[in-house]
Amino acid sequence: MSAAIIFVILLVLMLTGMPISISLGLTVLTFLFTMTQVPIESVALKLFTGIEKFEIMAIPFFILAGNFLTHGGVARRMINFATAMVGHWYGGLGLGGVLACALFAAVSGSSPATVVAIGAILMPAMTRQGFPAKFGAGVITTSGALGILIPPSIVMVMYSVSTNTSVGALFMAGVLPGLLLAAFLGFTTWYRARKFDYPRQPKASWGQRVKAFRESAWGLFLIVVVMGGIYTGIFTPTEAAAMSAVYAFFVAVFVYKDLRMSDVPKVLLNSANMSAMLLYIITNAVLFSFLLTHENIPQAMADFMIGSGVGMVGFLIMANILMLVAGNFMEPSSIVLILAPILFPIAIKLGIDPVHFGIIMVVNMEVGMCHPPVGLNLYVASGITKMGITELTVAVWPWLVSMLVFLILVTYVPGISLVLPKALGMM
């Protein structure tokens, strides 16, 4: 009964158009003050202790690093390197876009940032070369989603905060699925380009490839700084985030010199605004999680599902459907912070590895970012391509289908997620 009341209040508030973060907070306060005897002091205490986790500090640092790189010309150099390597295949610039998105994802941690950074440069170039606008939009919108699967990932940090799962293990678990999804998207791009005979670029010489690599090397080295630092134990993931922000600032301002010192305050302010928004969502989601736990809702749901004999396979089907449906109405941060505390205890009781379940959630979030009505990547791509959301939705469907096939694969083959962290002794 408590669960029904809580979710009805939340749904009603969300249907009024209220921001999700405020809807969560008001749901908690309404229920606690009208139907329980919980003192207000414990609510205030939970608000502070909920975001008093060292891992949360990684979020503003990764946002800052991504913003420095987005403004600092790193994306352009990565596109040049990617197209030098694969531009001569069918799809040319499109394939280069998929590879460039995968590379930029490994330094930004954000899907919208990846779409903006790569799409703003690549889309005009693809149009000039004679690619249909829908093809370019489909490539960029879906490949940009790699930003939350290939580490470092802000969404993975949020899952870690919600479930007390190791951020380092999650980052390493995202590497192989990220590369595999990039291959899926790349194959779809190549197949459609071959089918419709889209333009190809002249094959770059090895000299041109080496030159493009050298120009992009400073940006690519950030991958080594973050992942190498975490794996070798030099940094914690949070310290790696801080290092990535400092390194991205140094590269953008002093090495590539694409970002003037006078532009730095603007980048800092944008990063602070984005960080504040996410931290506010996290704070209210922590309160919501506290309410669910106080009412014993996740445990009751876990007992019910296990008692009904649903089993691991049935639960994963239901969890995927629930997360895909949630992706129609909410952005990834909110989905992870609301659903992880509910689904995680059930997954653990059914013997599903917490790291594997985290990757399943992230892949679901990727799909959600690429379809309406609230797909973040669609709106970002719409701004770049000047196409309507309906037109973009039609454009992305071939890549969206390949993402759904990949979701099924990563859900039922846990080895894809777990082989790397296990090999590195992180689990």
Side-chain angles (χ1 to χ4, degrees):
M1 188 60 187
S2 296
I5 294 168
I6 290 168
F7 287 107
V8 165
I9 295 171
L10 179 62
L11 189 62
V12 168
L13 290 173
M14 284 167 59
L15 287 173
T16 63
M18 191 179 290
I20 288 169
S21 52
I22 297 175
S23 300
L24 287 170
L26 277 180
T27 300
V28 174
L29 294 175
T30 304
F31 188 87
L32 286 179
F33 293 154
T34 58
M35 301 185 188
T36 70
Q37 300 299 314
V38 176
I40 193 168
E41 291 85 353
S42 65
V43 177
L45 187 65
K46 198 66 192 172
L47 273 171
F48 283 98
T49 56
I51 56 169
E52 204 177 38
K53 293 185 178 177
F54 187 60
E55 293 87 352
I56 289 179
M57 287 176 63
I59 293 171
F61 284 127
F62 279 134
I63 288 171
L64 182 57
N67 280 346
F68 276 132
L69 296 174
T70 304
H71 291 84
V74 174
R76 178 167 43 84
R77 291 171 174 87
M78 285 186 173
I79 290 170
N80 291 339
F81 172 60
T83 49
M85 297 305 292
V86 298
H88 58 286
W89 293 351
Y90 281 105
L93 277 178
L95 273 180
V98 176
L99 181 55
C101 282
L103 293 172
F104 196 80
V107 295
S108 73
S110 163
S111 284
T114 305
V115 175
V116 169
I118 305 298
I121 300 164
L122 203 67
M123 277 301 298
M126 289 181 76
T127 306
R128 281 196 302 272
Q129 277 211 2
F131 286 93
K134 283 185 177 179
F135 180 80
V139 171
I140 297 303
T141 305
T142 51
S143 300
L146 292 166
I148 61 171
L149 180 57
I150 295 177
S153 162
I154 292 167
V155 173
M156 285 183 189
V157 176
M158 291 188 166
Y159 176 82
S160 167
V161 168
S162 302
T163 61
N164 289 320
T165 308
S166 163
V167 184
L170 280 166
F171 279 5
M172 290 302 168
V175 173
L176 193 56
L179 295 175
L180 195 57
L181 180 55
F184 268 66
L185 296 171
F187 176 77
T188 306
T189 304
W190 172 86
Y191 176 78
R192 290 186 66 78
R194 185 169 175 269
K195 182 179 177 182
F196 298 108
D197 196 28
Y198 291 151
R200 299 158 71 174
Q201 290 191 309
K203 187 171 183 177
S205 68
W206 280 104
Q208 290 171 316
R209 289 174 178 178
V210 169
K211 181 174 180 285
F213 173 75
R214 281 168 53 193
E215 287 177 352
S216 63
W218 281 96
L220 295 172
F221 188 68
L222 185 56
I223 303 169
V224 180
V225 171
V226 174
M227 302 308 293
I230 293 170
Y231 168 57
T232 55
I234 298 172
F235 311 133
T236 65
T238 306
E239 290 163 351
M243 277 300 301
S244 71
V246 173
Y247 181 85
F249 165 76
F250 175 76
V251 169
V253 175
F254 298 110
V255 179
Y256 291 148
K257 298 178 182 176
D258 292 312
L259 188 71
R260 297 190 303 271
M261 283 298 289
S262 58
D263 295 327
V264 172
K266 184 183 175 186
V267 174
L268 291 172
L269 188 61
N270 287 344
S271 303
N273 286 339
M274 205 180 300
S275 301
M277 178 188 72
L278 286 176
L279 288 172
Y280 186 64
I281 294 172
I282 291 170
T283 306
N284 285 291
V286 165
L287 263 187
F288 189 71
S289 177
F290 163 70
L291 175 62
L292 294 178
T293 309
H294 181 268
E295 295 299 309
N296 213 35
I297 291 167
Q299 293 80 357
M301 288 177 69
D303 293 339
F304 170 75
M305 291 194 77
I306 292 166
S308 62
V310 168
M312 186 190 292
V313 173
F315 165 71
L316 287 173
I317 292 171
M318 290 165 63
N320 277 333
I321 292 170
L322 178 61
M323 286 186 275
L324 289 173
V325 170
N328 284 305
F329 309 104
M330 293 186 279
E331 46 85 39
S333 307
S334 304
I335 298 172
V336 170
L337 292 166
I338 292 170
L339 293 184
I342 299 168
L343 298 175
F344 184 76
I346 306 172
I348 297 304
K349 281 198 172 186
L350 288 169
I352 299 166
D353 187 274
V355 173
H356 175 222
F357 192 66
I359 299 301
I360 293 171
M361 283 202 84
V362 172
V363 176
N364 273 288
M365 301 307 99
E366 286 189 298
V367 176
M369 295 185 90
C370 300
H371 66 70
V374 296
L376 273 178
N377 285 11
L378 282 180
Y379 286 95
V380 174
S382 176
I384 295 169
T385 61
K386 304 294 185 286
M387 291 166 67
I389 297 298
T390 307
E391 195 179 359
L392 268 174
T393 305
V394 175
V396 302
W397 78 262
W399 291 269
L400 208 53
V401 168
S402 67
M403 290 175 84
L404 289 168
V405 172
F406 174 76
L407 172 61
I408 295 167
L409 184 67
V410 86
T411 298
Y412 294 109
V413 186
I416 296 171
S417 308
L418 303 180
V419 64
L420 196 55
K422 282 183 177 176
L424 298 175
M426 303 184 79
M427 292 177 64

